[in-house]
Amino acid sequence: MLEVIALGEILVEVMRKKRDVPHYVPDEYLGPYPSGAPAIFIDAVARLGASAGFIGVVGDDDFGKMLIDRLKSDGVDIRYLRVLPGYTTGTAFVMYYSSGERKFVFHLRHSAAGQLSPEDVRPEYVGAAKFVHVMGSALSVSESSREACYKAAREAKKRGVKVTFDPNLRPELLDVDTIRRICAPMLALSDIVMPSEAEAQALTGKEDPLEAGRELLRHGAEIVVIKMGEKGSMLITKEGVLREPAYDVEEVDPTGAGDVFDGAFVVGLLRGWELRRCLEFANAAGAIKVMNFGPMEGPRSMNEVLQFMKRAKKRD
Ligand code: ATP
Ligand code: MG
């Protein structure tokens, strides 16, 4: 029996070394780094000490090998991480502008990651967990990946397993109508929804994060957590609102902060902490992630986060 199960795309990311160098000119890249929002999430959960399992698909190649080795060495159960011959492992090339904006070239839909399907989701496996986590990005990789996520959430819900959902679909990459349409079934099935500020706005049409959060509660969630980068995070329930400032750290690479945050928040809940502490802990895990280069290079242990919280300062 595992505490947390996630499913979706797992891929390698190859990153521009320098800012402002577009993908259409030759220059240096760094990588491959292990990535994919659901994979980053589950790796963080395992490193923070909870038992974790991952459902996904990689190709029979060296990128796939690296991903398998990484999850395995961090203790993630990979019995349902399928190796699919004839497809290459999912890949993303990413570059940053000085403005903080990112630009991607993806090889996902036609990669192994895009072949995740409902048959990969065993009802008895997800049904025995305490939490099942779905990322919105996995809803847009391919139709079969989307159906796999819906199935995992339905099977979890049926058995009383908590469903957590991070919409994680950038309005700049996908039109708002599509985002709303593919997220709607997940919002109805989720106990906890964890969007970024922009995603909360896109999903609800409400500018104010508090109003957006309240609107998301009306879709069925009991807790909404809105991630706001260096402004920290906000938690909304029927009972009220909690706000937590971010930690004051130097941002080296923000990719994956939201995914690590989600993982840390779920681990806090698993340990029975009160919501304020879960939020603070998740902010700390996110802050540690942004200080490190590489999408999956967040905190290595629960103790690292707890020590960080003792000495780090929060932003005003
Ligand atoms: P992702 O790009 O991974 O999807 P996101 O938009 O879902 O990110 P963010 O709000 O960027 O999530 O980051 C999650 C959390 O990490 C924030 O709520 C905050 O606590 C922490 N964090 C992110 N950026 C910073 C920063 N520059 N300084 C301090 N903390 C940060
Ligand atoms: Mg996110």
Side-chain angles (χ1 to χ4, degrees), residues 162-204:
K162 294 276 185 204
V163 177
T164 59
F165 176 53
D166 177 345
N168 211 25
L169 281 167
R170 289 164 207 295
E172 68 268 25
L173 290 182
L174 206 61
D175 67 278
V176 169
D177 287 341
T178 306
I179 291 181
R180 289 184 187 171
R181 181 172 52 80
I182 65 180
C183 286
M186 278 311 308
L187 293 179
L189 287 166
S190 298
D191 298 285
I192 304 177
V193 180
M194 300 188 270
S196 68
E197 200 173 0
E199 289 152 7
Q201 285 165 352
L203 284 171
T204 62

Side-chain angles (χ1 to χ4, degrees), residues 13 15 19 33-37 39-41 43-44 47-48 70 94 96 102 247 249-264 281-301 304-305 308:
E13 197 155 310
M15 303 159 93
R19 288 179 188 246
Y33 292 95
S35 191
I40 297 169
F41 166 88
D43 191 75
R47 282 177 155 198
L48 294 172
R70 172 60 192 271
V94 60
Y96 284 93
R102 285 179 276 198
Y247 285 91
V249 297
E250 200 195 322
E251 183 178 295
V252 174
D253 174 16
T255 306
D259 315 326
V260 168
F261 176 103
D262 297 343
F281 180 70
N283 274 355
I288 292 172
K289 163 67 246 321
V290 304
M291 291 189 288
N292 293 304
F293 193 83
M296 213 182 262
E297 306 320 310
R300 296 180 157 272
S301 68
E304 180 183 345
V305 186
F308 171 86

Side-chain angles (χ1 to χ4, degrees), residues 24-261:
Y24 52 77
V25 298
D27 205 70
E28 287 171 285
Y29 285 99
L30 294 173
Y33 292 95
S35 191
I40 297 169
F41 166 88
I42 206 68
D43 191 75
V45 167
R47 282 177 155 198
L48 294 172
S51 60
F54 187 73
I55 304 169
V57 189
V58 294
D60 187 9
D61 51 31
D62 284 351
F63 286 169
K65 174 183 160 34
M66 181 184 75
L67 295 167
I68 289 170
D69 289 351
R70 172 60 192 271
L71 290 192
K72 224 182 184 167
S73 75
D74 283 333
V76 178
D77 178 64
I78 51 157
R79 81 186 83 165
Y80 295 121
L81 177 52
R82 182 156 61 97
V83 180
L84 178 60
Y87 285 83
T88 51
T89 298
T91 312
F93 290 81
V94 60
M95 60 88 46
Y96 284 93
Y97 290 101
S98 300
S99 63
E101 227 185 300
R102 285 179 276 198
K103 206 149 180 205
F104 294 95
V105 174
F106 287 118
H107 166 58
L108 281 184
R109 190 177 305 266
H110 304 290
S111 76
Q115 312 313 308
L116 178 67
S117 82
E119 290 79 69
D120 287 300
V121 179
R122 315 288 158 109
E124 68 284 359
Y125 187 64
V126 294
K130 297 217 165 67
F131 287 89
V132 167
H133 184 76
V134 171
M135 287 285 185
S137 51
L139 305 176
S140 74
V141 167
S142 65
E143 213 175 297
S144 65
S145 172
R146 173 154 73 237
E147 290 303 326
C149 292
Y150 291 163
K151 178 179 174 185
R154 276 197 312 267
E155 294 296 339
K157 192 81 181 171
K158 225 176 7 190
R159 291 166 173 79
V161 177
K162 294 276 185 204
V163 177
T164 59
F165 176 53
D166 177 345
N168 211 25
L169 281 167
R170 289 164 207 295
E172 68 268 25
L173 290 182
L174 206 61
D175 67 278
V176 169
D177 287 341
T178 306
I179 291 181
R180 289 184 187 171
R181 181 172 52 80
I182 65 180
C183 286
M186 278 311 308
L187 293 179
L189 287 166
S190 298
D191 298 285
I192 304 177
V193 180
M194 300 188 270
S196 68
E197 200 173 0
E199 289 152 7
Q201 285 165 352
L203 284 171
T204 62
K206 305 221 184 289
E207 277 297 308
D208 177 48
L210 178 54
E211 271 183 47
R214 288 192 173 133
E215 176 68 30
L216 289 171
L217 289 178
R218 285 193 274 277
H219 289 267
E222 52 180 319
I223 300 175
V224 174
V225 183
I226 301 184
K227 293 166 282 181
M228 304 185 296
E230 51 179 42
K231 289 185 289 174
S233 56
M234 186 191 269
L235 182 148
I236 302 123
T237 62
K238 280 203 196 88
E239 283 69 48
V241 188
L242 300 176
R243 295 168 210 268
E244 258 305 303
Y247 285 91
D248 194 0
V249 297
E250 200 195 322
E251 183 178 295
V252 174
D253 174 16
T255 306
D259 315 326
V260 168
F261 176 103

Side-chain angles (χ1 to χ4, degrees), residues 6-27:
L7 75 165
E9 74 281 10
I10 179 163
L11 54 120
V12 297
E13 197 155 310
V14 180
M15 303 159 93
R16 269 297 194 212
K17 198 168 163 184
K18 287 184 280 212
R19 288 179 188 246
D20 303 308
V21 185
H23 292 301
Y24 52 77
V25 298
D27 205 70

